[in-house]
Amino acid sequence: MARPALLFCPPECPWPTRSQGHQTPSPFLPASRLPAFLKGLQTTDSKRTATVWKTLCPFWGEEYQVHLPPTFHAVAFYVMDEDALSRDDVIGKVCLTRDTLASHPKGFSGWTHLTEVDPDEEVQGEIHLRLEVRPGARACRLRCSVLEARDLAPKDRNGASDPFVRVRYKGRTQETSIVKKSCYPRWNETFEFELEEGATEVLCVETWDWDLVSRNDFLGKVVIDIQRLQVAQPEEGWFRLQPDQTKSRRHDEGNLGSLQLEVRLRDEMVLPSSCYQPLVQLLCHEVKLGMQGPGQLISLIEETTSTECRQDVATNLLKLFLGQGLAKDFLDLLFQLELSRTSETNTLFRSNSLASKSMESFLKVAGMQYLHGVLGPIINKVFEEKKYVELDPSKVEVKDVGCSGLHRPQTEAEVLEQSAQTLRAHLGALLSALSRSVRACPAVVRATFRQLFRRVRERFPGAQHENVPFIAVTSFLCLRFFSPAIMSPKLFHLRERHADARTSRTLLLLAKAVQNVGNMDTPASRAKEAWMEPLQPTVRQGVAQLKDFITKLVDIEEKDELDLQRTLSLQAPPVKEGPLFIHRTKGKGPLMSSSFKKLYFFLTTEALSFAKTPSSKKSALIKLANIRAAEKVEEKSFGSSHVMQVIYTDDVGRPQTAYLQCKCVNELNQWLSALRKVSINNTGLLGSYHPGIFRGDKWSCCHQKEKTGQGCDKTRSRVTLQEWNDPLDHDLEAQLIYRHLLGVEAMLWERHRELSRGAEAGTVPASPGEAPKDSLAQLLRVLQDLREAHSSSPAGSLPSEPNCLLELQT
């Protein structure tokens, strides 16, 4: 039975064997498998979804944001069949070109047929050629120098290839020598061909992987137009390897099933930090002034933000203010703005307003570890028990029970009672864990809920509104944070795989019960699904527990908040932690995977440290300021997958490398992202590196003999996963906010003209939420300055590459 996993391949990486990816449903995936020759190909960067077991119609429903190099050409999605004992098999793929994505500015959405994966089309990498036409005694001669190649597709089981180049012109073929076990070969070989006058043929340069027993594997080709070369000679540079598309396709499109995707590409050029300071300072000034200030640009931003992009704007603003230490003040301002226009308590914070969306993002960023501590054990128990649970009589399945020979049908009443007992136990355990978690909750989260509680109580005083402040807190804590995490634990990183149908139903019923507790067991919540009645005693008890918990949660003094602020900020340690295997090369001996030692690592904003266990004493391995690069290592180097290298300098300035192995590709990408982002402002960052290791007297990747020589591949410092546990990228968040404001600039100018006419007539703004003319005029000037900075800054002078942000969602 096929076990599909969807693989997302970023640019220049046409083929993955391992990854992490976007998730979407497929109406049909055949159980047949593809030929074994597709196994063993790898990719530079990839993503992998959870595996959906024993189904031909999987549903994933995951979301990803991936930063791509500015030169990417296409993205590919591979549906895989996971195998426990051998390499995963390929079911089919979907490939979207950059032009396709660019032609859908609001995003590409829909079902797309899977196509068969042809090994001759799965190529990657570039080849360095020098081409020239030289005069000869009888005729001109074409000279082709094959210098080197990089990032070739690994075709062999050792995680590399044995590449050679075949140069063809007018029926004549010449070949380079074979470079064993390398994806970064160097040849430096030259070939010559005699040219006839008026020649119109093309020069074909093909790269192949040599195999002793089986046929050679195609690695890609470059076709050179001789006539163009004669006009623009000589020519030298890196040429992107192209697939062989001369063969006719052997299959009918669509017979492998279909994949539903929602993909949006956003191309952003991030300017130096100084360019964004006026915008950041203006927004921060508005937040610091709050409702007492002269204007509300935040309110104006909310007014001009459409429903479709409100979540993006909320997340970007929230991350920006988190980096400035103003997240609580920003949310407090949004609370006040929403309360000022709300008169009905039953609709408070129930809409998809900027306040609601910003608070959702805040809890995911600042409260995720807290969520794991409270929910983790309960979710794990539900998954481990795998009990059949159902409270809806119309959906009950009655099965036989009893021992062998004594089977009897289980009655519906018994099923309902057993289900109610199971759910009451889970709900009781969850509420007890929540009650004990007050001190574990981050102080910045507690302080934010304190502000929310106070603002709501001030807006709705009186005994008749006694529960309203509590419901305001639970509308975020329970309805928008805990309940979604219970229903989809994979999306909140509580589990590595999605739940099966039985476990999903248990989680859904538990989430409904938590929602009823969060709604303070109102008659309206009980009336919706009367069959939830068996849980009412636990729900009523839970309401009392929850109110007591919230009372303690919001009872945090300003002094306590200030004392704990450093440990609550995203910039504070640890940025990331977890077990890794470490090996640092010594001497010239062979490096084996058995030489890795398991330790527990902590990445902070000061250093990368390790300890024997999470609670034992830490020892610093690398100071953060000394990191020069963080990159993947070729699989063949250690005979192991998921190895990364951290290149750094020691205390006396000597270059060093630490090799760390992760348990899976997801962990590898998360560590790389965290390391790159916390060190992105370091001085002396490397522009190139060696993806192999220095063994004996040469590098395993390119066979250079100079250990401290320039690397053979470029570093990828701008990669980020955009996950909840990622460090902040302040400049990118500011750029995304600027891009949004640029899109609504016409509306801002219209409001400015309205305010100008009102000022001339001697009137005042219609409401306290409207921005005065001077604040808005200042914002418009800042947008103009940023527009000019973008248009006047050549790409080469910028410190960071353009960000191609690919958003994948269902």
Side-chain angles (χ1 to χ4, degrees):
M1 179 66 70
R3 301 177 291 278
L6 178 60
L7 303 179
F8 158 66
C9 252
E12 316 283 274
C13 318
W15 164 247
T17 56
R18 56 181 191 268
S19 55
Q20 171 184 1
H22 172 57
Q23 324 211 325
T24 35
S26 174
F28 171 73
L29 297 175
S32 61
R33 297 181 176 180
L34 297 183
F37 57 72
L38 286 180
K39 295 181 180 180
L41 298 176
Q42 299 178 13
T43 176
T44 304
D45 283 302
S46 56
K47 302 274 183 209
R48 187 190 194 281
T49 66
T51 299
V52 180
W53 298 90
K54 299 180 181 179
T55 180
L56 299 180
C57 301
F59 175 79
W60 291 281
E62 297 185 10
E63 299 181 2
Y64 289 92
Q65 289 188 349
V66 185
H67 283 248
L68 308 178
T71 56
F72 87 97
H73 301 281
V75 292
F77 305 82
Y78 292 82
V79 180
M80 309 289 289
D81 172 30
E82 182 175 320
D83 286 321
L85 301 179
S86 61
R87 288 187 181 272
D88 301 338
D89 296 327
V90 191
I91 296 173
K93 76 169 185 177
V94 169
C95 187
L96 299 177
T97 66
R98 181 171 191 151
D99 292 339
T100 300
L101 296 172
S103 65
H104 295 80
K106 293 186 178 180
F108 172 86
S109 177
W111 290 92
T112 306
H113 291 304
L114 291 172
T115 59
E116 184 177 314
V117 175
D118 186 337
D120 289 340
E121 295 183 8
E122 304 299 309
V123 302
Q124 66 183 54
E126 298 172 307
I127 187 167
H128 188 187
L129 303 175
R130 184 187 301 123
L131 304 160
E132 59 180 327
V133 176
R134 300 172 61 90
R138 292 183 299 176
C140 293
R141 301 189 64 81
L142 170 64
R143 174 175 290 183
C144 175
S145 297
V146 180
L147 305 179
E148 57 185 325
R150 61 189 181 194
D151 196 27
L152 298 179
K155 296 281 187 176
D156 298 334
R157 291 183 177 273
N158 59 13
S161 290
D162 302 320
F164 69 94
V165 174
R166 182 177 294 159
V167 184
R168 293 190 291 108
Y169 177 71
K170 285 193 66 176
R172 289 188 57 198
T173 301
Q174 300 187 56
E175 295 182 353
T176 67
S177 58
I178 299 169
V179 179
K180 296 292 186 68
K181 299 180 181 179
S182 178
C183 293
Y184 298 82
R186 291 192 175 192
W187 293 283
N188 288 322
E189 298 183 29
T190 300
F191 307 97
E192 288 193 357
F193 300 89
E194 186 173 304
L195 286 180
E196 297 179 1
E197 186 175 351
T200 59
E201 291 81 1
V202 296
L203 176 72
C204 186
V205 181
E206 298 175 343
T207 310
W208 292 83
D209 167 47
W210 176 84
D211 285 318
L212 177 63
V213 179
S214 60
R215 72 178 181 88
N216 298 332
D217 296 314
F218 181 72
L219 294 175
K221 69 177 182 179
V222 175
V223 178
I224 309 296
D225 183 352
I226 299 301
Q227 288 185 323
R228 182 179 63 83
L229 181 62
Q230 289 176 318
V231 174
Q233 64 167 308
E235 184 170 348
E236 179 180 348
W238 287 93
F239 295 80
R240 180 168 167 252
L241 291 171
Q242 302 291 338
D244 184 3
Q245 297 176 327
T246 59
K247 302 177 182 178
S248 59
R249 304 195 68 86
R250 296 169 299 171
H251 59 275
D252 296 329
E253 192 177 68
N255 65 352
L256 297 177
S258 298
L259 195 62
Q260 188 183 27
L261 298 169
E262 289 188 13
V263 187
R264 181 173 57 155
L265 177 68
R266 288 162 59 177
D267 201 352
E268 300 292 345
M269 176 67 75
V270 180
L271 299 170
S273 299
S274 57
C275 296
Y276 298 107
Q277 283 308 302
L279 175 62
V280 173
Q281 291 173 2
L282 177 60
L283 295 176
C284 289
H285 180 67
E286 290 289 314
V287 168
K288 290 175 182 177
L289 290 175
M291 294 289 286
Q292 312 304 319
Q296 294 298 335
L297 288 181
I298 301 299
S299 176
L300 186 57
I301 291 174
E302 181 175 22
E303 276 184 47
T304 55
T305 301
S306 64
T307 305
E308 291 76 14
C309 60
R310 191 166 292 150
Q311 181 65 74
D312 292 338
V313 174
T315 301
N316 295 333
L317 285 170
L318 186 277
K319 287 187 174 182
L320 180 74
F321 290 121
L322 269 170
Q324 302 297 321
L326 293 172
K328 185 192 71 173
D329 304 87
F330 168 61
L331 292 168
D332 185 38
L333 175 58
L334 294 180
F335 296 154
Q336 295 180 72
L337 289 173
E338 180 143 342
L339 285 166
S340 67
R341 58 176 180 259
T342 303
S343 57
E344 295 291 333
T345 59
N346 58 353
T347 62
L348 188 60
F349 300 115
R350 296 305 173 99
S351 65
N352 291 323
S353 63
L354 190 63
S356 298
K357 293 298 185 182
S358 298
M359 192 65 178
E360 280 185 36
S361 298
F362 170 70
L363 290 174
K364 287 182 179 179
V365 173
M368 191 67 83
Q369 291 181 342
Y370 169 67
L371 175 87
H372 281 215
V374 175
L375 278 187
I378 289 91
I379 297 297
N380 290 338
K381 187 174 182 180
V382 173
F383 271 78
E384 291 164 3
E385 288 183 350
K386 294 185 178 297
K387 290 184 177 179
Y388 175 72
V389 174
E390 186 54 74
L391 293 181
D392 188 349
S394 65
K395 297 182 179 180
V396 169
E397 298 177 6
V398 178
K399 299 182 179 180
D400 290 345
V401 295
C403 59
S404 178
L406 297 175
H407 289 293
R408 66 174 180 83
Q410 191 178 27
T411 65
E412 179 181 295
E414 289 175 328
V415 174
L416 294 174
E417 178 55 31
Q418 289 179 6
S419 299
Q421 290 179 3
T422 300
L423 286 172
R424 283 195 291 265
H426 290 320
L427 181 60
L430 193 158
L431 292 168
S432 297
L434 190 63
S435 298
R436 299 190 302 268
S437 70
V438 172
R439 295 187 62 82
C441 185
V444 69
V445 176
R446 294 182 61 185
T448 303
F449 277 130
R450 178 196 63 204
Q451 291 299 103
L452 173 62
F453 193 89
R454 289 179 178 176
R455 298 299 185 190
V456 175
R457 188 166 56 185
E458 291 169 1
R459 176 67 178 83
F460 297 102
Q464 71 274 24
H465 299 307
E466 178 186 359
N467 283 338
V468 176
F470 293 97
I471 293 177
V473 174
T474 60
S475 67
F476 293 115
L477 188 65
C478 295
L479 276 62
R480 293 178 181 264
F481 195 39
F482 275 77
S483 288
I486 294 170
M487 288 189 289
S488 302
K490 169 67 172 67
L491 304 187
F492 284 74
H493 306 273
L494 287 162
R495 300 287 296 188
E496 290 189 1
R497 292 176 175 169
H498 289 289
D500 55 27
R502 175 176 291 189
T503 305
S504 292
R505 183 61 179 171
T506 304
L507 294 173
L508 176 62
L509 293 173
L510 179 60
K512 287 178 177 290
V514 171
Q515 290 175 355
N516 287 344
V517 175
N519 287 324
M520 297 292 155
D521 191 30
T522 58
S525 64
R526 290 198 303 269
K528 290 181 180 178
E529 294 164 325
W531 42 265
M532 295 284 289
E533 182 63 31
L535 300 183
Q536 283 310 114
T538 309
V539 170
R540 284 192 290 270
Q541 181 182 356
V543 170
Q545 287 179 275
L546 191 59
K547 291 181 69 173
D548 181 65
F549 163 75
I550 292 174
T551 301
K552 296 176 181 176
L553 186 74
V554 301
D555 185 20
I556 177 173
E557 299 297 329
E558 298 286 348
K559 181 179 181 301
D560 298 330
E561 180 191 349
L562 293 174
D563 290 342
L564 295 173
Q565 192 64 35
R566 288 186 178 179
T567 61
L568 301 169
S569 170
L570 284 180
Q571 305 304 303
V575 171
K576 184 169 178 58
E577 60 179 289
L580 295 171
F581 292 86
I582 181 173
H583 182 103
R584 282 188 287 182
T585 58
K586 293 182 179 179
K588 298 183 179 181
L591 300 175
M592 305 297 293
S593 59
S594 59
S595 62
F596 283 90
K597 181 179 181 181
K598 186 176 183 180
L599 296 169
Y600 200 87
F601 280 80
F602 305 83
L603 176 63
T604 71
T605 53
E606 296 179 354
L608 177 64
S609 305
F610 66 91
K612 289 186 177 180
T613 65
S615 57
S616 57
K617 184 179 179 180
K618 303 180 184 65
S619 300
L621 174 64
I622 304 170
K623 293 180 180 179
L624 186 67
N626 292 348
I627 294 178
R628 298 295 175 258
E631 298 292 340
K632 293 182 180 180
V633 177
E634 284 182 335
E635 183 173 338
K636 68 166 185 174
S637 300
F638 295 100
S640 302
S641 305
H642 323 314
V643 180
M644 65 179 175
Q645 56 181 309
V646 183
I647 305 171
Y648 64 101
T649 56
D650 58 20
D651 292 337
V652 295
R654 294 173 300 190
Q656 304 287 348
T657 303
Y659 295 97
L660 305 173
Q661 183 177 5
C662 305
K663 65 179 180 180
C664 64
V665 69
N666 292 354
E667 274 291 302
L668 174 64
N669 285 331
Q670 289 169 6
W671 274 103
L672 286 173
S673 177
L675 284 164
R676 288 165 178 170
K677 293 182 76 174
V678 296
S679 60
I680 198 166
N681 293 319
N682 285 2
T683 57
L685 290 177
L686 298 178
S688 63
Y689 79 108
H690 289 283
I693 58 172
F694 196 82
R695 179 188 288 117
D697 61 349
K698 62 183 178 182
W699 286 98
S700 62
C701 47
C702 60
H703 298 177
Q704 287 188 54
K705 296 185 180 298
E706 180 61 45
K707 186 174 183 180
T708 58
Q710 185 176 4
C712 58
D713 192 20
K714 60 184 179 182
T715 55
R716 299 167 176 83
S717 61
R718 294 297 299 179
V719 174
T720 177
L721 298 179
Q722 290 289 296
E723 292 186 351
W724 61 269
N725 54 352
D726 255 3
L728 297 177
D729 189 340
H730 305 129
D731 295 338
L732 176 59
E733 302 305 332
Q735 166 64 23
L736 294 176
I737 293 170
Y738 156 71
R739 181 65 64 188
H740 168 72
L741 293 174
L742 202 62
V744 298
E745 189 178 19
M747 301 173 66
L748 298 177
W749 275 109
E750 180 60 30
R751 179 56 59 87
H752 181 263
R753 285 190 287 270
E754 292 177 5
L755 293 172
S756 297
R757 288 193 294 268
E760 292 173 0
T763 60
V764 295
S767 68
E770 290 187 314
K773 182 178 63 172
D774 56 348
S775 298
L776 184 51
Q778 189 176 356
L779 177 62
L780 291 169
R781 285 195 300 271
V782 168
L783 296 182
Q784 178 63 30
D785 292 341
L786 278 170
R787 186 192 296 107
E788 293 176 358
H790 271 280
S791 60
S792 61
S793 297
S797 67
L798 297 178
S800 59
E801 294 178 334
N803 284 273
C804 297
L805 181 62
L806 188 71
E807 300 176 345
L808 305 150
Q809 50 190 307
T810 58

